[in-house]
Amino acid sequence: MQTILLPEKVSRILEVLAGAGYEAYAVGGCVRDAILGRVPGDWDITTNALPEEVKRLFRRTVDTGIQHGTVTVMLGAEGFEVTTYRQDGDYSDHRHPDGVVFTTSLAEDLKRRDFTINAMAYRPDTGLVDLFGGQEDLGRKVIRCVGDPRERFDEDALRIMRALRFSAQLGFKLDPKTREAIREFAPRLQLISKERIRVELLKLLMSPHPDRLLDLAECGITAEIFPLWDTMLATSQNSPFHRYSVGMHTLKVVEGVPADPVLRLAALLHDCGKPACKSTDLGGREHFYGHAEAGAKLAEAFLRDMRFDNKTIADVVQLVRVHDDHYSATKENVRREMNHVGEDLFPSYLKLVLADNLAKSGYALDEFMTRYQRVCKIYEEILAAGDCITLKDLAVKGSDLIAAGMKPGPEMGTVLNRMLEDVLGNPEHNSKSYLLGRYVRR
Ligand code: ATP
Ligand code: MG
């Protein structure tokens, strides 16, 4: 018998419910993860007790989704979602059940779940309840719908994104019938909110298998939600610097940066301006002049469409804009680049630049690495020296200019920027006496 070690608090909840005469099981993602030896994000519980009955049995509860039958039971600072067995009504809008019907049958509750690996329940005395071959699919490493895949994606097209996301997180393949139905129903993603698609896309991007981006294209998913990706995959790069298409190069860069949302998104989008900027010279070599700036605009449009937050958008767009900056590795240039990129983003910028160059052809890689290592070393020295990089580090503030007799106005900004220009080249000039003496006429 498959045994799962339940956290003490989960066991306690199951016991309280059983003690009151109800059925209760750990269910869904936590059972899947426990069998796989992964640490579950959260432990969900399914029960035949009605929400009101659950609330009566536990001292502290929160009505998190009571209309769907979910009550959160609080034990200490931890919350556990306890949901009454339910059966979903029809899905006439192809995204939400028209109504939720409670049922007394665990089997009915498991039947409404998306994939076999997500449709198992467990309690210590009964063991694993696996009605759809979930355990076998875990062993075979397969994502397979519960029931008829066409019906399941017809009901709720978000499941299409979830299938690819689980495939990426777990390193699983799609069952052939499930895959076929995904291709057929991908256009239905148009009915799903961008926010919900974004959540799944980001999980895929942050997973150990972002290469599932290729499946997204192959299944016709990105044609619906991110057509630029299909174009990137179809864009060749006939240049000594490159060995891959824009899309395949991009994938290597995504895999080469740490799993941080801004970095993974910046990697995904860094060359998205290339298809639109491609030109071919007389020798047949392909160029992409201006692709960073063009890419920044396209990246912004995509991220806005996907309803990313403003800070993420600003950071990603900036990284796309600067990822291909060229300068020789001198102290002054690195200071200027730190100012241009933004001090906070500079460490991410360095990671992106490294991954980008390692994903090229290998041509001129030695020169790149020598220059890159110099830039990193100089960056450390600049940080250690505490050199002035932005207006906020400048020894002179607006108030100093006023005290020195300047009239408040736009002229002040011009003077401060002129001072910063000077200081970026000559950090020793960053003193009030020098800067006021040099730039403010008394
Ligand atoms: P994660 O580790 O990402 O939380 P999870 O499997 O727990 O994965 P949740 O979104 O937390 O996923 O959902 C919990 C469970 O609810 C799933 O395991 C699945 O059984 C069911 N479920 C969630 N969303 C759907 C859906 N759109 N259609 C059918 N069942 C779903
Ligand atoms: Mg979960």
Side-chain angles (χ1 to χ4, degrees):
M1 188 166 97
Q2 174 79 45
T3 54
I4 290 176
L5 194 61
L6 300 176
E8 199 268 322
K9 286 175 178 166
V10 174
S11 300
R12 214 188 315 157
I13 295 172
L14 297 185
E15 278 161 24
V16 168
L17 285 159
Y22 298 108
E23 293 173 16
Y25 297 81
V27 71
C30 60
V31 175
R32 176 199 68 219
D33 288 343
I35 295 176
L36 286 173
R38 303 171 89 229
V39 180
D42 39 33
W43 289 83
D44 297 328
I45 290 154
T46 188
T47 179
N48 63 353
L50 290 169
E52 288 309 317
E53 296 166 332
V54 175
K55 287 173 72 170
R56 232 177 295 125
L57 288 170
F58 296 93
R59 206 150 47 89
R60 279 169 55 231
T61 62
V62 184
D63 290 0
T64 25
I66 200 136
Q67 67 283 17
H68 308 113
T70 303
V71 170
T72 299
V73 171
M74 299 300 302
L75 295 181
E78 271 182 285
F80 299 88
E81 292 197 349
V82 179
T83 305
T84 306
Y85 293 167
R86 52 177 248 214
Q87 218 172 329
D88 292 339
D90 290 340
Y91 284 76
S92 35
D93 64 356
H94 307 288
R95 53 188 168 198
H96 306 108
D98 297 344
V100 169
V101 182
F102 296 140
T103 159
T104 54
S105 155
L106 172 64
E108 285 298 330
D109 182 86
L110 296 178
K111 218 166 96 183
R112 71 168 170 91
R113 294 174 186 270
D114 46 7
F115 307 112
T116 59
I117 59 168
N118 288 347
M120 293 182 279
Y122 179 85
R123 70 173 184 194
D125 52 348
T126 324
L128 189 70
V129 180
D130 176 14
L131 306 178
F132 310 103
Q135 215 180 357
E136 193 191 330
D137 286 344
L138 283 181
R140 296 194 304 143
K141 297 180 177 283
V142 168
I143 307 291
R144 184 164 62 90
C145 287
V146 171
D148 178 355
R150 299 182 67 252
E151 281 173 29
R152 307 317 306 280
F153 293 128
D154 184 28
E155 289 169 351
D156 176 5
L158 183 70
R159 290 172 186 156
I160 292 172
M161 292 302 296
R162 286 174 58 87
L164 273 300
R165 181 264 278 197
F166 285 119
S167 146
Q169 286 181 323
L170 304 172
F172 283 20
K173 287 198 289 289
L174 299 172
D175 176 78
K177 287 220 171 61
T178 293
R179 187 184 189 95
E180 221 174 279
I182 286 175
R183 297 180 70 162
E184 180 180 347
F185 284 88
R188 286 282 178 78
L189 282 168
Q190 296 296 347
L191 299 174
I192 302 297
S193 80
K194 297 285 169 60
E195 286 83 352
R196 296 174 81 203
I197 291 176
R198 179 198 67 223
V199 169
E200 301 300 328
L201 185 66
L202 194 57
K203 284 183 176 174
L204 184 151
L205 210 53
M206 298 277 286
S207 77
H209 298 278
D211 58 293
R212 296 304 193 271
L213 282 163
L214 297 176
D215 285 313
L216 288 186
E218 204 278 326
C219 291
I221 296 170
T222 39
E224 305 298 329
I225 62 168
F226 182 27
L228 191 50
W229 173 241
D230 296 33
T231 315
M232 288 160 73
L233 281 169
T235 303
S236 64
Q237 307 193 82
N238 184 12
S239 141
F241 288 101
H242 285 281
R243 139 180 32 200
Y244 304 111
S245 68
V246 173
M248 291 308 288
H249 160 74
T250 293
L251 203 52
K252 303 261 177 243
V253 182
V254 171
E255 289 169 340
V257 295
D260 158 85
V262 164
L263 263 176
R264 286 269 162 111
L265 285 165
L268 176 67
L269 296 165
H270 78 284
D271 274 352
C272 75
K274 277 190 170 176
C277 292
K278 183 161 139 169
S279 62
T280 311
D281 66 22
L282 290 174
R285 179 173 162 182
E286 291 167 339
H287 300 273
F288 303 93
Y289 300 117
H291 78 273
E293 195 53 50
K297 292 204 176 70
L298 291 167
E300 174 159 12
F302 169 69
L303 296 167
R304 290 228 178 278
D305 181 47
M306 283 287 148
R307 316 288 195 271
F308 277 93
D309 62 278
N310 288 336
K311 167 81 173 136
T312 301
I313 297 176
D315 286 355
V316 173
V317 169
Q318 175 66 354
L319 287 174
V320 173
R321 180 174 290 124
V322 300
H323 82 272
D324 197 35
D325 285 354
H326 291 275
Y327 51 93
S328 56
T330 67
K331 243 186 180 168
E332 173 168 352
N333 284 347
V334 175
R335 273 189 228 107
R336 289 187 189 285
E337 188 63 5
M338 287 168 69
N339 170 273
H340 180 226
V341 170
E343 267 187 287
D344 296 347
L345 269 182
F346 206 76
S348 295
Y349 157 82
L350 288 176
K351 291 186 181 120
L352 178 64
V353 167
L354 180 61
D356 185 13
N357 282 276
L358 289 177
K360 295 182 182 176
S361 65
Y363 174 84
L365 183 60
D366 287 351
E367 288 99 294
F368 166 78
M369 285 311 292
T370 306
R371 200 188 131 268
Y372 179 79
Q373 274 153 5
R374 263 193 72 72
V375 170
C376 290
K377 185 160 163 284
I378 293 173
Y379 171 61
E380 295 300 330
E381 289 166 5
I382 292 170
L383 286 185
D387 288 352
C388 165
I389 300 300
T390 59
L391 282 178
K392 79 171 169 23
D393 312 319
L394 198 69
V396 172
K397 308 281 170 224
S399 52
D400 299 317
L401 296 183
I402 294 170
M406 265 189 82
K407 282 204 206 77
E411 172 77 18
M412 280 179 28
T414 313
V415 171
L416 289 171
N417 278 315
R418 208 174 295 145
M419 291 173 168
L420 180 61
E421 262 306 297
D422 181 343
V423 166
L424 285 171
N426 312 280
E428 69 282 4
H429 289 176
N430 192 25
S431 75
K432 242 181 228 180
S433 56
Y434 175 87
L435 292 171
L436 289 173
R438 169 102 201 256
Y439 294 97
V440 183
R441 247 179 266 157
R442 289 167 196 262

